[in-house]
């Protein structure tokens, strides 16, 4: 069957011209077969066997055999396309008056379950309303009911002593059944209609679960179905059926239009998980199992940027006590990926980081912070693995909270990064005049300026007595930028730390590279200098070497 969602690579499209396997089919039979195969190969196989029986004139029990085939197709379609819940609801509507509208009451009164499943398969939920309107589905339903309720008359022997039923007795019924099938798989049960009907079931039936891989054989149908599916009760069955297994994560594909350029295909089933993860009735244990399987470090990583982003979004919805170190490790790998999506940085800065901080998760926050502050050198320039804008935004908004929760541990992570950068190229810090401890004053800050300011802000918010030894140590560091940060901190806590300045070994004014911070310290606090301190300043000025 043709519809706008078919494509040439659709795995549900079976090649039906294979020699020596399939009977010769008319165009209508071909359409029926293709569509039945998209629902379930077994139903389609029964249909082909029915045609083989019809074509074989040597079968004396053809009528009985055809009947059995027709019943299997009929039952299979009803099982797949109707839910037990809808069937039960409709069956209650099948009063004597309604059955008389659908056929002969005496013949139908004992087949209410069968009739209800036909109506449910056609999406006729309110029988009275449909009967009172010009709903064309009712005509199909009446024909289907009339044909299928006659099958039992041909299915078994009508007496071992009698002549077998002639095929002609059932042929008329078979061709009528084919006409119904053509209508069913054509204008009424087209693929999108089936998917729309299936997704309204609160839970998938066993039959639906078994046929779903065939119905979702094409990329377009998977996108359509999972975008529309809204019930969290589907999550566990879909997981059990393997829709969220990590090996379903699509590999990056080379662009057909641009050689050497790769793009990340969508994992539509996982997009459903993202959507359902914020539902109040979403089963968290199932959600966690899905995330843990994808982030399992023992598995070979598939570098799909879209999947990475969807997974990080799911992690962001987990209860804080269910977020684990392997999730943070995964986030780090996602940030470093060549396939990274820009929204990844936003998700980390606006969702993951505040969630960890709000939950008081110090160790996980420190792990994430270390990842966020990582850099690469590309063509001699610093390139943070996290986008500059979102890194600055995160540190401005949550820098103080990080300092409050993580204190000296966060300081050491940032200092380690500064030391590494200074060792590689100290010139990246030369333009900073002076170091700034108020992150809110920065605008579109360079990474080096941002991390120096972050360190200074942590030290500014710390209790002076707790950082005295740290500042003493920083003043002895070989890297100038570290010393500048230390001097800036003395300025911020001058009353408590001023002795570190006045006991300077040598002349601080000779430290040319420290000039911005030394000058700031003197200017800001000169009004507090006593006579001895003023005398010391004058001596330093007179003895300075520049």
């Amino acid at each position: 069957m043709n519809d706008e969602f078919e494509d040439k690579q659709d795995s549900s499209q079976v090649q039906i011209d294979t020699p020596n396997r399939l009977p010769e089919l008319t165009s209508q039979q071909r359409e029926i077969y293709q569509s039945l195969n998209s629902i379930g190969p077994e139903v389609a196989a029964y249909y082909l066997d029915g045609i083989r029986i019809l074509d074989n004139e040597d079968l004396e029990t053809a009528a009985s055999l055809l009947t059995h085939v027709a019943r299997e197709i009929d039952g299979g379609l009803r099982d797949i396309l109707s839910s037990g819940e809808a069937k039960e609801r409709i069956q209650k509507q099948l009063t004597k008056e309604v059955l008389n509208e659908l056929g002969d009451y005496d013949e139908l009164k004992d087949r209410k379950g069968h009739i209800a499943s036909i109506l449910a398969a056609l999406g006729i939920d309110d029988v009275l309303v449909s009967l009172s309107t010009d709903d064309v589905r009712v005509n199909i339903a009446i024909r289907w009911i009339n044909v299928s309720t006659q099958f039992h008359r041909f299915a078994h022997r009508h007496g071992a002593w009698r002549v077998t039923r002639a095929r002609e007795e059932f042929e008329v019924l078979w061709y009528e059944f084919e006409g119904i099938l053509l209508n069913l798989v054509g204008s009424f049960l087209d693929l999108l209609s089936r998917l729309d009907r299936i997704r309204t079931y609160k839970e998938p039936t066993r039959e639906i679960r078994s046929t779903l891989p065939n119905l979702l054989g094409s990329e377009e149908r998977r996108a359509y179905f999972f975008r529309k599916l809204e019930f969290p009760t589907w999550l566990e069955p879909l997981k059990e059926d393997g829709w969220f297994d990590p090996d379903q994560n699509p590999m990056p594909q080379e662009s057909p239009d641009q050689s050497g350029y790769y793009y990340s295909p969508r994992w539509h089933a996982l997009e459903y998980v993202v959507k359902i993860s914020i539902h109040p009735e979403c089963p968290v244990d199932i959600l966690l199992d899905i995330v843990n399987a994808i982030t399992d470090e023992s598995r070979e990583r598939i570098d799909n940027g879209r999947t990475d982003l969807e997974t990080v979004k799911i992690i962001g919805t987990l209860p804080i006590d269910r977020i684990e170190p392997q999730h943070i490790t995964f986030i780090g790998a996602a940030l470093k990926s060549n396939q990274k999506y820009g929204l990844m940085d936003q998700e980390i800065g606006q969702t993951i980081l505040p969630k960890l901080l709000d939950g008081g998760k110090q160790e996980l926050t420190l792990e994430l912070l270390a990842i966020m502050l990582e850099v690469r050198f590309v063509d001699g320039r610093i390139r943070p693995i996290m986008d500059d804008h979102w890194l600055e935004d995160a540190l401005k908004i949550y820098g103080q909270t990080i300092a409050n929760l993580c204190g000296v541990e966060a300081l050491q992570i940032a200092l380690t990064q500064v030391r590494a950068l200074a060792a590689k190229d100290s010139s990246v810090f030369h333009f900073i005049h002076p170091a700034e401890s108020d992150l809110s004053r920065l605008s579109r800050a360079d990474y080096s300026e941002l991390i120096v300011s972050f360190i200074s802000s942590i030290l500014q918010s710390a209790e002076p007595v707790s950082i005295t030894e740290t500042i003493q140590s920083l003043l002895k560091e070989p890297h100038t930028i570290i010393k500048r940060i230390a001097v800036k901190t003395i300025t911020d806590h001058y009353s408590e730390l001023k002795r570190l300045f006045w006991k300077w070994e040598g002349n601080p004014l000779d430290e040319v590279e420290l000039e911005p911070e030394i000058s700031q310290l003197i200017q800001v606090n000169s009004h507090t200098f006593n006579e001895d301190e003023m005398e010391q300043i004058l001596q330093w000025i007179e003895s300075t070497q520049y």
Side-chain angles (χ1 to χ4, degrees), residues 139-169:
N139 179 263
I140 294 293
I142 291 173
R143 290 173 57 200
W144 188 354
I145 292 167
N146 179 57
V147 170
S148 63
T149 54
Q150 294 185 59
F151 289 159
H152 71 283
R153 296 192 294 109
F154 295 86
H156 305 290
R157 296 192 306 271
H158 63 303
W161 60 91
R162 296 183 180 178
V163 178
T164 57
R165 292 185 186 278
R167 80 172 53 239
E168 291 77 14
E169 290 187 64

Side-chain angles (χ1 to χ4, degrees), residues 32-33 80 167 238 247 308 324 376 461 476 484 540:
I32 292 171
Y33 173 64
I80 292 169
R167 80 172 53 239
L238 289 173
D247 57 9
D308 289 348
E324 304 170 4
R376 296 169 175 157
S461 64
K476 298 176 182 179
R484 290 177 62 189
W540 282 339

Side-chain angles (χ1 to χ4, degrees), residues 1-15 191 216-222:
M1 182 188 64
N2 254 343
D3 63 49
E4 61 178 315
F5 284 83
E6 295 297 331
D7 62 25
K8 294 179 181 179
Q9 314 238 326
D10 185 350
S11 62
S12 73
Q13 296 301 304
V14 177
Q15 297 298 319
L191 290 173
L216 303 183
S218 76
E219 170 83 7
E220 290 80 5
R221 276 182 256 149
R222 286 193 296 276

